[in-house]
Amino acid sequence: MSGQSGVGPSEPRKPELEVGLNAVILAVTAHQPRVLTVGTQELGEDFFGMDTWHLPPALPFGSFDEKNDRTLELCMRRSVLEKTGGELGYVEQLYTFADQGRDPRERAGGSRVLSVGYLALARERDLSQAENSSWQHCYRYFPWEDWRGGRPRIIGDIESALLDWSHGSAERRERVEICFGLGNAGWDAYQVLERYELLYEAGLISEYWTDRGRDDDMPADELPSDGALGEAMAFDHRRILATGLGRIRGKLRYRPVVFELLPPTFTLLELQRVVEALTGLRVHKQNFRRQVERAGLVEGTGQRSGKTGGRPAELFRFRRAVLRERRAPGMATLQGARRSGN
Amino acid sequence: MSGQSGVGPSEPRKPELEVGLNAVILAVTAHQPRVLTVGTQELGEDFFGMDTWHLPPALPFGSFDEKNDRTLELCMRRSVLEKTGGELGYVEQLYTFADQGRDPRERAGGSRVLSVGYLALARERDLSQAENSSWQHCYRYFPWEDWRGGRPRIIGDIESALLDWSHGSAERRERVEICFGLGNAGWDAYQVLERYELLYEAGLISEYWTDRGRDDDMPADELPSDGALGEAMAFDHRRILATGLGRIRGKLRYRPVVFELLPPTFTLLELQRVVEALTGLRVHKQNFRRQVERAGLVEGTGQRSGKTGGRPAELFRFRRAVLRERRAPGMATLQGARRSGN
DNA sequence: TCAAAAGTGTTATCCTTACACCCATGT
DNA sequence: ACATGGGTGTAAGGATAACACTTTTGA
């Protein structure tokens, strides 16, 4: 295997390798999935030698301090606590990237940057709003992922652009069909990252052009992004967000993670709305309730909810005992797009 | 977030942070899941200031060279190619650790080490045997994970030891019940890592004592390991292997990854044996065949296999088109332990 | 009285599981 | 002949998906 990295000249040196953390912090409020973002302005105007006022929002990020952080996860929790004053609940590691050129600090003569992505779930009000950070509607960045109102219009354009792109290559064509459910399989909500990467490769994502144009210092506002294919994020953060959204959609199927996003008690419709927000799919109300109850995921509290808009609903809570009783306690069957509403 | 790491004194300096890679390379042969290991002797007797002749086998590992490796995955592939002369097929990232003290080089005054774990699937003969490396039966390290011959004897001992350990703590008790399927859920093959970590915390894994005794330079052969609770691996490599085994078991359910471990054509029984080897569970032969065929995962070639020991079987191949047709093309239903053999 | 949401009942269809049994080949 | 593995049929039970319908509240 490769040897130790060489020892460079010993003057006002920079470390050769830095480790950064990026957090996808998700919450669901008002029936919408939201992600915590920070403005890149806070980095200072000349950070990375770029005019950051033109940079789109970024995921919260921090540096791993090998002197003081015992583990990566503790570093994550500390960073978020310092920034927002809120404690994180559920945290899971997503992915580690070290791709050459993914961080602009490299280009500016800095050291190679390795980035560890994390996914965290929060109840929005648990994280008090910090300076420069805000909750953004997730589907701003992935309009094609929200099927709750039926098949998104944009998918039609995407399909023709991709089929055009794949013209002549059976392999490309197969990828397009699999990712966007053009075959018999239908839409698979889980494949968020696969779809994003396909669109990126096909040049339909504005970051693709930003990344390529970097060396020309092309100003961001001249790039071909009209928002129809989703708004941009800074660096590769949109890709990390796609990883996170895909992960949570997958996990929903076999782990009771939804409850991390809900208050201790909730109505079944509230639960349903959170699931729908995350999966981007509508579910059948009655069957959903039956499945959730039969699966033993929740138990009623005697109380009823006040403001439902209609008949008061019973308040439920997560039933921990389900972990002992079922092998994969999740919303396993909510896998594909449905036709009918309700 | 924390600032840039401080710039230290500038003499015969070491980098503050190194990145290493660990690979879990799995294959299945003779109905057994196997992992590629290297002897720690190759590191030299005084590596890390330890007498490595007493160290148990390790996973193949290499250093990430930020000067030359464009991505982590390419580094992985290059390292394995250099070591074994074989190309890897399917590769997936597992997890990144930076826990303080997990690497002995740190103790020896070296820099902090961050380790990225990878899972790779291979057909055993694709990787020619290299010096100092060998294929080890996975369940040597996790005897409790192999239920193919019925419930392993050792589970009885584990249960009593764990219940003893959890005495008085409802939380511990719940973990034990969930991990080892003492409730109604039954055995969940997927939770390999959860079980390993539980056993580790309970002090039933020999590495637990090695890790604690490190500073006393306690010789490995005096540690309380008789192999009944699995043989030890070097460093935290057994934990990484547990992560990999759990990952592949989970993935099997919804992705057609088994075929990465099989030759291009195979009989249905060969396929079944590979699935059984990985999950550690027996499956019902007839139903397995029906499911696999109905799911469209395979297609017959006209040919028949020679050496089956009985009636010649038809040779099948993986049917790629299934990717376009089904949402989660895997062995979804093979989730729990079964009673009957066959 | 109407809108909005909570809840109940019922059905056809499909999938899983289990069991029983027959077929083809080598020793 | 018999062991070994390949391969078919079928029936019970359960889960899913799609309906239609009733109940309870607030405005």
Side-chain angles (χ1 to χ4, degrees):
Chain A
M1 310 233 167
S2 74
Q4 306 291 93
S5 50
V7 176
S10 58
E11 249 330 78
R13 72 182 180 74
K14 297 184 179 170
E16 290 126 3
L17 196 51
E18 269 178 57
V19 174
L21 296 178
N22 288 104
V24 175
I25 305 177
L26 294 180
V28 175
T29 39
H31 302 177
Q32 300 299 344
R34 296 179 202 278
V35 58
L36 193 66
T37 62
V38 298
T40 29
Q41 293 84 337
E42 71 166 9
L43 302 175
E45 285 188 21
D46 291 316
F47 185 71
F48 310 154
M50 301 165 111
D51 185 349
T52 52
W53 292 93
H54 289 156
L55 277 180
L59 295 175
F61 55 93
S63 297
F64 178 64
D65 176 1
E66 70 274 11
K67 299 284 186 301
N68 296 310
D69 290 312
R70 268 185 32 241
T71 70
L72 289 169
E73 190 176 318
L74 289 173
C75 171
M76 248 286 292
R77 292 181 182 275
R78 172 185 60 74
S79 298
V80 172
L81 182 63
E82 284 171 10
K83 276 247 160 169
T84 68
E87 299 270 359
L88 291 178
Y90 181 88
V91 164
E92 129 177 13
Q93 195 179 289
L94 281 177
Y95 206 79
T96 300
F97 307 91
D99 295 24
Q100 203 157 50
R102 64 162 290 284
D103 194 299
R105 276 174 282 189
E106 246 180 71
R107 266 180 53 254
S111 53
R112 185 77 176 265
V113 177
L114 183 145
S115 166
V116 184
Y118 272 88
L119 171 67
L121 302 183
R123 293 161 189 103
E124 190 176 329
R125 50 136 220 254
D126 284 2
L127 294 181
S128 53
Q129 195 73 26
E131 302 277 316
N132 253 311
S133 76
S134 65
W135 291 100
Q136 299 293 333
H137 184 175
C138 284
Y139 297 131
R140 288 176 58 162
Y141 308 107
F142 311 106
W144 56 89
E145 294 291 345
D146 188 2
W147 286 58
R148 288 175 294 173
R151 181 184 167 102
R153 293 269 169 89
I154 185 76
I155 292 262
D157 303 335
I158 288 177
E159 263 181 29
S160 34
L162 285 177
L163 290 177
D164 198 42
W165 168 77
S166 69
H167 182 72
S169 161
E171 204 189 315
R172 283 186 174 184
R173 168 107 194 190
E174 186 180 45
R175 263 183 84 194
V176 172
E177 287 182 358
I178 292 168
C179 284
F180 285 86
L182 308 188
N184 298 325
W187 183 257
D188 180 1
Y190 169 74
Q191 313 209 39
V192 183
L193 180 62
E194 288 82 348
R195 282 186 287 266
Y196 178 76
E197 292 193 325
L198 184 58
L199 291 172
Y200 183 95
E201 279 183 50
L204 297 172
I205 294 291
S206 68
E207 283 92 327
Y208 174 81
W209 301 102
T210 317
D211 293 349
R212 303 188 98 207
R214 260 177 183 165
D215 292 317
D216 312 312
D217 219 16
M218 192 189 294
D221 50 21
E222 280 182 34
L223 293 170
S225 160
D226 61 348
L229 280 147
E231 293 176 31
M233 294 188 82
F235 318 131
D236 59 349
H237 289 188
R238 204 159 151 209
R239 184 175 163 203
I240 300 175
L241 178 55
T243 311
L245 190 56
R247 185 72 67 87
I248 188 74
R249 284 181 172 182
K251 205 124 209 174
L252 224 49
R253 299 203 262 235
Y254 61 96
R255 287 278 104 149
V257 278
V258 227
F259 304 103
E260 306 281 344
L261 296 160
L262 283 159
T265 66
F266 46 83
T267 69
L268 291 182
L269 189 61
E270 284 166 353
L271 174 61
Q272 181 182 339
R273 293 302 180 218
V274 172
V275 169
E276 289 175 335
L278 292 173
T279 60
L281 301 172
R282 282 238 161 279
V283 303
H284 188 277
K285 185 174 72 162
Q286 297 87 326
N287 292 336
F288 176 80
R289 299 166 97 96
R290 241 188 309 255
Q291 279 173 52
V292 164
E293 292 195 277
R294 196 179 32 71
L297 284 165
V298 298
E299 61 193 352
T301 69
Q303 304 150 306
R304 333 228 118 230
S305 151
K307 279 286 165 9
T308 57
R311 168 175 168 177
E314 185 167 7
L315 284 170
F316 290 79
R317 73 169 73 89
F318 173 54
R319 194 170 146 274
R320 273 192 66 80
V322 72
L323 296 169
R324 256 168 287 160
E325 292 163 7
R326 294 182 80 88
R327 210 134 35 208
M331 320 262 155
T333 58
L334 315 174
Q335 295 196 357
R338 291 180 57 264
R339 273 164 282 157
S340 63
N342 198 334
Chain B
M1 310 239 165
S2 76
Q4 307 290 91
S5 50
V7 175
S10 58
E11 249 327 80
R13 72 183 179 74
K14 296 182 179 170
E16 289 127 2
L17 195 52
E18 269 178 56
V19 174
L21 296 178
N22 289 104
V24 175
I25 304 176
L26 294 181
V28 175
T29 38
H31 301 176
Q32 299 301 345
R34 297 180 201 276
V35 58
L36 192 67
T37 62
V38 298
T40 29
Q41 293 85 340
E42 71 166 10
L43 302 175
E45 285 191 20
D46 291 315
F47 186 69
F48 310 152
M50 302 164 108
D51 184 348
T52 53
W53 293 93
H54 289 156
L55 277 181
L59 296 175
F61 55 94
S63 297
F64 178 65
D65 177 0
E66 70 273 9
K67 301 282 187 300
N68 297 313
D69 290 311
R70 267 186 33 242
T71 71
L72 288 169
E73 191 177 315
L74 289 173
C75 171
M76 248 286 292
R77 293 182 183 276
R78 173 186 59 75
S79 298
V80 172
L81 182 64
E82 285 171 8
K83 276 245 158 166
T84 69
E87 298 271 357
L88 290 178
Y90 181 87
V91 164
E92 128 178 14
Q93 196 179 288
L94 281 176
Y95 205 79
T96 301
F97 307 90
D99 295 24
Q100 202 157 51
R102 64 162 290 285
D103 194 298
R105 277 173 281 186
E106 245 179 73
R107 267 178 53 254
S111 54
R112 184 78 175 265
V113 178
L114 183 145
S115 166
V116 183
Y118 271 87
L119 171 66
L121 302 183
R123 294 166 189 98
E124 189 176 332
R125 49 136 220 254
D126 284 1
L127 294 179
S128 53
Q129 195 73 27
E131 301 279 315
N132 254 312
S133 75
S134 65
W135 291 99
Q136 299 293 333
H137 184 175
C138 284
Y139 296 132
R140 287 175 59 162
Y141 308 107
F142 312 105
W144 56 89
E145 294 291 345
D146 188 1
W147 286 57
R148 288 176 295 174
R151 183 186 165 100
R153 293 271 170 89
I154 185 77
I155 293 262
D157 303 335
I158 289 176
E159 262 182 29
S160 34
L162 285 177
L163 290 177
D164 198 42
W165 169 78
S166 69
H167 183 70
S169 160
E171 202 189 316
R172 282 185 175 184
R173 169 106 194 194
E174 188 182 44
R175 264 183 82 195
V176 173
E177 287 182 358
I178 292 168
C179 284
F180 285 86
L182 309 188
N184 299 326
W187 183 258
D188 180 1
Y190 168 73
Q191 313 208 37
V192 183
L193 180 62
E194 288 81 348
R195 282 188 286 268
Y196 178 77
E197 292 192 326
L198 185 58
L199 291 171
Y200 183 96
E201 279 182 52
L204 297 171
I205 294 291
S206 69
E207 283 92 327
Y208 175 80
W209 301 102
T210 317
D211 293 347
R212 307 188 95 206
R214 259 176 184 168
D215 292 317
D216 310 312
D217 217 15
M218 193 188 293
D221 50 21
E222 281 183 35
L223 292 170
S225 160
D226 60 349
L229 280 147
E231 292 176 32
M233 294 189 82
F235 318 131
D236 59 349
H237 288 189
R238 206 160 149 207
R239 187 177 162 200
I240 299 175
L241 178 55
T243 310
L245 189 56
R247 185 71 67 87
I248 189 72
R249 284 181 172 183
K251 206 122 210 174
L252 224 49
R253 300 202 263 233
Y254 61 96
R255 289 278 105 152
V257 279
V258 226
F259 304 104
E260 304 282 343
L261 296 160
L262 283 159
T265 65
F266 45 83
T267 69
L268 291 181
L269 189 61
E270 283 166 354
L271 174 61
Q272 180 182 340
R273 293 302 179 218
V274 173
V275 169
E276 289 175 336
L278 292 173
T279 59
L281 301 172
R282 282 238 162 279
V283 303
H284 188 277
K285 184 174 71 164
Q286 295 89 326
N287 292 336
F288 176 80
R289 299 166 97 97
R290 239 187 309 251
Q291 280 173 52
V292 164
E293 292 196 278
R294 194 179 33 71
L297 284 164
V298 297
E299 60 193 353
T301 70
Q303 304 150 306
R304 336 229 113 229
S305 152
K307 277 287 166 11
T308 58
R311 169 176 166 178
E314 185 167 6
L315 285 170
F316 290 79
R317 73 169 74 90
F318 173 53
R319 194 170 145 276
R320 276 191 63 80
V322 72
L323 296 170
R324 258 168 286 161
E325 293 164 3
R326 295 183 79 89
R327 212 136 30 212
M331 320 262 154
T333 57
L334 315 174
Q335 296 196 357
R338 294 181 56 264
R339 274 163 282 155
S340 63
N342 199 334

